[in-house]
């Protein structure tokens, strides 16, 4: 019989093998954990499993997930991005690159209200990509801008990634929301600066909207539309995030406010109906059930890996990594980035992060900074080919003349900008810690 450490290594190897041959990730986690855990200890090891699963489903923090998902899906059904893009396009369209900047700003607002990457990219792809092509935008740049804009919801709170990382790292959700706010805005600003510079260097790639087109709407009408369309979602964001950051409500309570507020916003827009509510509820149930199933199966894998002394194996392995805490942290971030090419952020969060957690705790690394760095890093997994979900979402709605190669080429500069933001955050951790400390968390 192989030793426990050997079984722990085989457990990880089997996970990637099963994943490579197309087995769903939740089943991959469960099968690998059950098989090698049973080889190592027999059925007795899994007597602890019911308690671990109960700990997941009874976790009060995770209640925020379906509530925030409900808020996002409800706002998706209201087609709020359609109206926002029209208004912002006219406001920023006179500037070379202005339409692209408008898409980034819509992505920020959609990210703060919906946080659903697929919904944002599909909506922006359907609305803006044909218009950008018609106006002569460089095709890869147009595709990359839409994909990058859609991923902003993964770092700008309220973010599902941050909720799960708070649970894994044992941190307050509100603290991580506050920590990610400035880095999220920084990333959006870097995207906008890139488009501005591109507009100066290659104005033919990101042409301005013609004066004749902008004059089809009067300034007064544009102002009224901006107030009417922009205020409800902005008010909802301020209500949700403001109540958390201001200490008025816990994240779960604020999430319930967001869910109710989304119904009110859709109702005020005159688009609420029982069919919309039904579709929203069904979509929320499917999304939440999928996430929770992965979390439950991850408990099987984690229990087996810990029982097989996997954590000690990882600790011994990283004793040879040079650079102390910085070396371990950089190695973890590089590993997460590479894994992001092949597997989703949920699996990375529940497989990689717990392996490094004891080691980082022993090295007294600030977990708030770690969580923010991981969140920014995980965001790149939505853009990195071959399995970046943002690429698939846009491909599904792109016109026939848009090739897959154009989409892949378009995201490359934005992946570089995300890595630049990661480096800036690593070198300036106060970007993540300042706001939580200013609030007193």
């Amino acid at each position: 019989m192989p030793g426990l450490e050997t079984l722990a290594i085989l457990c990880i190897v089997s996970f990637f093998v099963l994943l490579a041959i197309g087995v769903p990730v939740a089943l991959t986690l469960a099968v690998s954990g059950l098989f090698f855990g049973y080889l190592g200890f027999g059925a007795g090891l899994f007597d602890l499993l019911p308690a671990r699963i109960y700990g997941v489903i009874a976790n009060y923090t995770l209640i925020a997930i379906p509530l925030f998902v409900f808020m996002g899906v409800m706002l998706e059904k209201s087609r709020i991005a359609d109206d926002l893009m029209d208004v912002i396009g006219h406001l920023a369209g006179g500037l070379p690159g202005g339409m692209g900047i408008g898409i980034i700003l819509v992505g920020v607002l959609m990210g703060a209200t919906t946080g659903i990457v697929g919904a944002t990219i599909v909506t922006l792809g359907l609305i803006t990509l044909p218009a950008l092509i018609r106006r002569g935008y460089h095709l890869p740049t147009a595709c990359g801008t839409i994909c990058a804009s859609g991923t902003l919801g993964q770092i700008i709170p309220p973010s599902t990634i941050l909720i799960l990382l708070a649970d894994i790292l044992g941190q307050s959700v509100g603290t991580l929301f506050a920590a990610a706010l400035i880095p999220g805005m920084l990333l959006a600003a870097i995207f906008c600066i890139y488009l501005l510079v591109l507009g100066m260097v290659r104005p033919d790639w990101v042409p301005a909207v013609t004066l004749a087109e902008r004059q089809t709407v009067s300034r007064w009408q544009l102002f009224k539309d901006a107030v009417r369309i922009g205020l409800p979602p902005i008010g909802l964001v301020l209500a949700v995030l403001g109540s958390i950051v201001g200490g008025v409500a816990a994240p779960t309570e604020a999430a319930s406010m967001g869910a109710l507020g989304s119904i009110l916003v859709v109702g005020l827009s005159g688009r609420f109906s029982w069919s919309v509510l039904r579709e929203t509820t069904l979509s929320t149930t499917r999304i939440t059930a999928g996430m929770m199933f992965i979390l439950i199966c991850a408990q099987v894998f984690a229990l087996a890996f810990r029982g097989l002394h996997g954590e000690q194996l990882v600790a011994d392995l990283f004793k040879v990594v040079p650079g102390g805490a910085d070396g371990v942290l950089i190695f973890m971030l590089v590993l997460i980035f590479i894994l992001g090419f092949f597997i989703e952020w949920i699996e990375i969060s529940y497989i990689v992060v717990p392996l490094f957690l004891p080691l980082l705790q022993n090295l007294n690394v600030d977990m708030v900074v770690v969580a923010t760095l991981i969140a920014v890093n995980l965001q790149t997994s939505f853009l990195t080919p071959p399995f970046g979900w943002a690429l698939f979402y846009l491909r599904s709605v792109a016109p026939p003349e848009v090739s897959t190669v154009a989409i892949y080429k378009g995201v490359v500069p934005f992946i570089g900008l995300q890595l630049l933001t990661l480096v800036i955050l690593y070198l300036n951790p106060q970007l993540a810690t300042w706001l939580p400390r200013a609030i007193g968390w």
Side-chain angles (χ1 to χ4, degrees):
M1 173 67 69
L4 295 181
E5 289 81 4
T6 302
L7 289 176
I9 294 173
L10 291 174
C11 185
I12 294 179
V13 172
S14 69
F15 167 78
F16 286 108
V17 171
L18 291 173
L19 200 65
I21 63 177
V23 178
V25 65
L27 298 180
T28 299
L29 288 166
V31 168
S32 300
L34 285 170
F35 182 78
F36 288 99
Y38 185 83
L39 283 182
F41 292 96
L45 175 66
F46 299 103
D47 291 341
L48 300 172
L49 190 57
R52 290 182 70 102
I53 293 176
Y54 178 79
V56 172
I57 63 177
N59 190 325
Y60 180 74
T61 300
L62 297 183
I63 297 175
I65 291 177
L67 292 169
F68 279 131
V69 170
F70 180 92
M71 181 181 79
V73 175
M74 177 61 74
L75 289 173
E76 176 200 350
K77 302 301 180 184
S78 72
R79 303 183 65 83
I80 196 170
D82 302 36
D83 299 334
L84 280 171
M85 195 61 242
D86 186 54
V87 171
I88 294 179
H90 278 86
L91 287 173
L95 184 71
M99 283 293 292
I101 293 172
I103 291 172
I104 298 297
L105 295 178
V106 171
V108 170
L109 193 53
M110 291 290 288
T113 52
T114 70
I116 303 175
V117 171
T120 304
I121 291 176
V122 167
T123 302
L124 291 176
L126 287 170
I127 300 167
T128 65
L129 188 53
L132 293 176
I133 295 173
R134 190 171 60 251
R135 292 185 173 98
Y137 256 66
H138 180 238
L139 202 53
T141 301
C143 295
T145 302
I146 293 171
C147 289
S149 174
T151 65
L152 288 170
Q154 297 308 300
I155 182 65
I156 295 174
S159 160
T160 307
I161 286 181
L162 296 174
I163 296 173
L164 294 185
L165 286 177
D167 178 56
I168 296 170
L169 299 176
Q171 298 295 309
S172 160
V173 175
T175 300
L176 295 194
F177 278 6
L181 194 56
I182 293 176
M185 293 297 104
L186 173 65
L187 180 59
I190 288 175
F191 286 168
C192 291
I193 292 170
Y194 166 73
L195 290 170
L196 280 174
V197 172
L198 195 61
M200 291 185 287
V201 176
R202 294 298 303 265
D204 55 313
W205 279 18
V206 285
V209 177
T210 62
L211 180 61
E213 185 177 349
R214 296 199 308 274
Q215 288 178 339
T216 57
V217 180
S218 68
R219 290 187 178 182
W220 173 242
Q221 183 61 43
L222 195 58
F223 173 77
K224 289 195 298 182
D225 289 345
V227 172
R228 176 178 59 84
I229 295 167
L231 280 184
I234 292 174
L236 183 61
V237 172
L238 293 177
V240 173
L241 297 184
S243 61
I244 296 173
V245 174
V248 177
T252 303
E253 296 163 345
S256 64
M257 291 171 54
L260 178 60
S262 67
I263 296 176
L264 295 176
V265 169
V266 175
L268 289 172
S269 69
R271 298 171 182 174
F272 180 83
S273 66
W274 287 114
S275 64
V276 169
L277 181 61
R278 180 177 179 275
E279 291 174 15
T280 299
T281 304
L282 289 175
S283 295
T284 300
T285 303
R286 283 194 293 267
I287 294 170
T288 305
M291 292 182 64
M292 294 304 293
F293 186 53
I294 292 175
L295 300 190
I296 290 171
C297 290
Q299 301 307 309
V300 181
F301 186 90
L303 180 62
F305 191 75
R306 178 171 290 183
L308 295 170
H309 301 169
E311 288 185 353
Q312 185 58 47
L313 182 68
V314 172
D316 293 340
L317 175 65
F318 288 110
K319 285 179 181 177
V320 301
V321 175
D326 286 332
V328 171
L329 190 55
I330 292 172
F331 186 87
M332 180 187 70
L333 293 174
V334 171
L335 179 61
I336 289 174
F337 176 72
I338 294 173
L339 289 177
F341 282 79
F342 307 104
I343 59 178
E344 288 191 77
W345 64 270
I346 299 178
E347 297 91 81
I348 296 174
S349 299
Y350 272 89
I351 296 168
V352 177
V353 179
L355 297 181
F356 286 85
L357 180 58
L359 196 59
L360 292 172
Q361 289 174 331
N362 291 337
L363 293 170
N364 296 316
V365 180
D366 190 332
M367 287 299 139
V368 173
V369 176
V370 170
T372 311
L373 287 169
I374 292 173
V376 175
N377 202 354
L378 286 174
Q379 189 178 346
T380 63
S381 68
F382 286 89
L383 295 179
T384 47
F387 300 121
W389 282 104
L391 312 177
F392 296 155
Y393 291 134
L394 185 60
R395 174 70 274 173
S396 67
V397 297
E401 64 266 29
V402 178
S403 66
T404 302
V405 173
I407 297 175
Y408 279 26
K409 286 173 60 178
V411 299
V412 171
F414 291 94
I415 294 172
L417 295 174
Q418 288 183 336
L419 294 178
L420 172 63
T421 305
L422 188 65
V423 172
I424 292 173
L425 181 59
Y426 180 83
L427 296 176
N428 300 276
Q430 64 271 18
L431 291 172
T433 58
W434 177 82
L435 185 56
R437 289 175 180 171
I439 298 170
W441 285 346

